[in-house]
Amino acid sequence: MDQTLSVPVSAPPAPRRSRHAVGDPRRGARTVRAVLALGVVAVLGMWWLSVPAGFAATPADALTSIGELAGMVGGFLVCAQVLLIARVPWFEKAVGLDRLVSWHRSLGASVLFLIVAHVLFLIFGGELVDKNPPWTEFVSILQNYPDMLTALVGTIAFLVVGLSSARLIRAKLSYEVWYWLHVTTYVSIFLTFFHQLSGGAHFVSDPVNRILWIALYLGTAAAVLTWRFLLPTLDAWKGRMRVAAVVPESQGVNSVWLTGPRVDQLGVRAGNFLLFRFLSRGHLGTAHPYSVSAVPADGYLRITVGAIGDHSTRLPALKPGSLVFAEGPFGRFTADRASRSRILLVAGGAGIGPIRALAEELVRRGARPVVLYRARSPRHLALLGELQALPGVTVIPLVGRRAELGYDPLDVEPLRGLIPDLHDWEAFICGSEGMGERVERSLRALRMPKRFIHREELSMS
């Protein structure tokens, strides 16, 4: 390969571990999964202890019982989904908000499957008993079961929200449309909850199950109101910031400098992101996650954002003095994760913001990171001068489209040519989902263990 570069690979001293280091993410993930699994087991126990003796005496009884079980497990997983993104401190500290969002998305498919299974099995079970065709049985259930119309509306809303998260559909929706569709989930939960209590056989006939189910939903609602709305709103008001300046960094990439009386007290670290709501036209409707590109210092904080959506495209129009509410910080993409002496930082596009901040912190810790900076053209190399000015940092721009270069600089062989012994390194990757997956595949092929590959995606949706 004709792009081989000389990279200093002598091992610097190992980075110092911060006294604020978070716990083992693998242990935290196992703990949260165990809690969710125990919740499912508890729901199975509720179903089993209240199911009638002849629950599978006939095919109709068996289908109906399976439909009821699917509804109960689906109802529990809806609460689990909401709790994962309710900013509950224990979950966030144990796993990290970015991974919780990923789990939330993954659970969505299971919830949709269980909701559909609940409806279909009840229809098929009733069809065998009443000898009705499916559509007639569906109408009969609507007429004879309590609170079915509201449950139907809520179920349709669940399906719409679930479909909007499918990759092909999500790519065609703006963040704002996607966000407000997901807000309707709370309405859907409310609409279906009363049907569960009034029409669910395992709640109507069992007061203990009924009390436990009400406690589950009230606890979930209390968690959402406390950590998703009330406390963040109070904190955002106390720590309100203002836009100090908007600075173009490269084609399609801009930095927003923010200032406020409590900026230095936010506890923001390199690699963290916050949810920003700018009180300006075109920004009021939603809060967006942006990573810091310069940690707070002297009362100022900086984010560097690529124009990849409606919200980020409008950032250059922000006026100095505009009020900003911020929630956070969040994320585990921090220097505390580093446990090896040789560290590779890989940035794509606007991912250079958190990578730049991370490189600066790693240098302060005694590391000498190597930065691979992927960009379509030299015009897209934002913050390049800042990175090159950091002492001990080696920056390797990988510029050009794959079609123009004739290869992908992030594939296995190009990476092997740049750094032959990557299996002894640790990597932090920030960019688009596609780029992150491509780099991770290449590093795994070069025998870098998965536990030493850390990724941050440029989306929380």
Side-chain angles (χ1 to χ4, degrees):
M1 173 179 132
D2 60 0
Q3 199 178 345
T4 302
L5 299 176
S6 175
V7 178
V9 295
S10 58
R16 295 187 298 275
R17 304 287 289 185
S18 168
R19 63 188 179 91
H20 300 291
V22 294
D24 183 349
R26 289 172 294 172
R27 181 182 301 171
R30 288 194 295 267
T31 302
V32 174
R33 287 193 183 104
V35 170
L36 296 179
L38 286 174
V40 173
V41 170
V43 172
L44 291 173
M46 293 169 62
W47 174 82
W48 179 254
L49 292 174
S50 60
V51 75
F55 73 96
T58 67
D61 291 333
L63 290 174
T64 300
S65 296
I66 293 172
E68 292 169 350
L69 176 60
M72 290 178 69
V73 176
F76 169 77
L77 291 183
V78 164
C79 290
Q81 260 198 304
V82 172
L83 286 172
L84 287 177
I85 58 166
R87 314 288 195 266
V88 178
W90 182 79
F91 282 141
E92 213 285 319
K93 290 177 182 177
V95 179
L97 184 58
D98 50 348
R99 183 177 290 188
L100 290 175
V101 170
S102 176
W103 289 2
H104 169 86
R105 289 198 301 253
S106 300
L107 270 182
S110 300
V111 169
L112 288 182
F113 172 79
L114 289 167
I115 289 174
V116 172
H118 169 67
V119 174
L120 292 180
F121 277 106
L122 289 181
I123 290 174
F124 294 152
E127 179 186 353
L128 291 178
V129 173
D130 300 330
K131 309 300 183 183
N132 286 328
W135 175 251
T136 303
E137 185 61 31
F138 175 70
V139 173
S140 175
I141 289 174
L142 283 179
Q143 293 174 341
N144 297 320
Y145 278 69
D147 297 313
M148 274 304 303
L149 287 178
T150 54
L152 177 62
V153 173
T155 299
I156 292 173
F158 270 126
L159 294 175
V160 170
V161 171
L163 291 174
S164 73
S165 294
R167 183 170 296 186
L168 289 177
I169 298 177
R170 173 68 186 93
K172 299 180 182 300
L173 298 176
S174 68
Y175 181 89
E176 288 76 12
V177 171
W178 175 91
Y179 174 85
W180 285 108
L181 275 176
H182 274 64
V183 169
T184 64
T185 300
Y186 298 116
V187 179
S188 304
I189 293 172
F190 176 80
L191 292 174
T192 57
F193 174 67
F194 292 103
H195 161 69
Q196 295 175 60
L197 292 181
S198 61
H202 299 271
F203 302 120
V204 172
S205 61
D206 193 313
V208 175
N209 282 357
R210 187 181 182 89
I211 291 171
L212 291 174
W213 208 249
I214 292 173
L216 170 66
Y217 274 74
L218 286 180
T220 301
V224 171
L225 287 174
T226 301
W227 287 299
R228 190 74 191 264
F229 294 104
L230 296 180
L231 293 182
T233 300
L234 290 174
D235 288 342
W237 177 254
K238 292 177 182 177
R240 57 192 179 277
M241 305 181 221
R242 294 191 180 275
V243 174
V246 179
V247 180
E249 301 288 0
S250 70
Q251 183 171 324
V253 177
N254 298 276
S255 287
V256 181
W257 285 93
L258 305 165
T259 186
R262 299 181 63 191
V263 167
D264 294 319
Q265 303 171 29
L266 290 173
V268 179
R269 302 175 54 215
N272 284 158
F273 66 91
L274 297 92
L275 297 173
F276 292 94
R277 187 184 300 272
F278 297 91
L279 272 65
S280 300
R281 184 177 180 181
H283 297 273
L284 282 169
T286 55
H288 283 247
Y290 295 127
S291 296
V292 299
S293 59
V295 296
D298 301 323
Y300 289 91
L301 165 72
R302 185 182 68 180
I303 57 176
T304 300
V305 181
I308 56 177
D310 293 343
H311 189 276
S312 53
T313 301
R314 291 191 292 261
L315 286 180
L318 288 173
K319 304 297 184 184
S322 298
L323 196 60
V324 184
F325 290 161
E327 180 186 353
F330 301 109
R332 302 174 64 94
F333 193 69
T334 59
D336 285 328
R337 305 284 295 277
S339 57
R340 285 182 156 183
S341 58
R342 297 176 175 182
I343 300 175
L344 177 69
L345 307 178
V346 186
I352 195 59
I355 289 294
R356 182 256 174 232
L358 197 57
E360 185 175 35
E361 180 167 339
L362 288 168
V363 167
R364 285 199 298 266
R365 291 166 171 251
R368 296 169 60 191
V370 172
V371 179
L372 300 184
Y373 189 174
R374 186 76 176 95
R376 288 178 289 173
S377 72
R379 300 191 309 275
H380 293 87
L381 290 171
L383 307 181
L384 179 61
E386 290 187 22
L387 272 172
Q388 292 173 329
L390 292 174
V393 177
T394 300
V395 186
I396 305 175
L398 304 175
V399 179
R401 298 178 183 271
R402 281 175 283 178
E404 299 168 349
L405 297 173
Y407 67 95
D408 188 338
L410 299 176
D411 278 344
V412 174
E413 291 308 318
L415 289 181
R416 193 200 310 272
L418 289 170
I419 308 175
D421 55 350
L422 273 171
H423 59 277
D424 288 329
W425 289 60
E426 186 163 12
F428 290 78
I429 307 164
C430 188
S432 66
E433 182 178 0
M435 190 211 80
E437 291 175 350
R438 189 162 62 251
V439 176
E440 183 169 351
R441 284 196 303 268
S442 297
L443 294 177
R444 294 297 303 278
L446 292 168
R447 297 185 296 114
M448 182 182 289
K450 184 176 178 61
R451 67 182 181 276
F452 296 123
I453 302 175
H454 315 290
R455 281 175 54 187
E456 177 91 327
E457 294 176 10
L458 296 180
S459 174
M460 287 290 295
S461 62

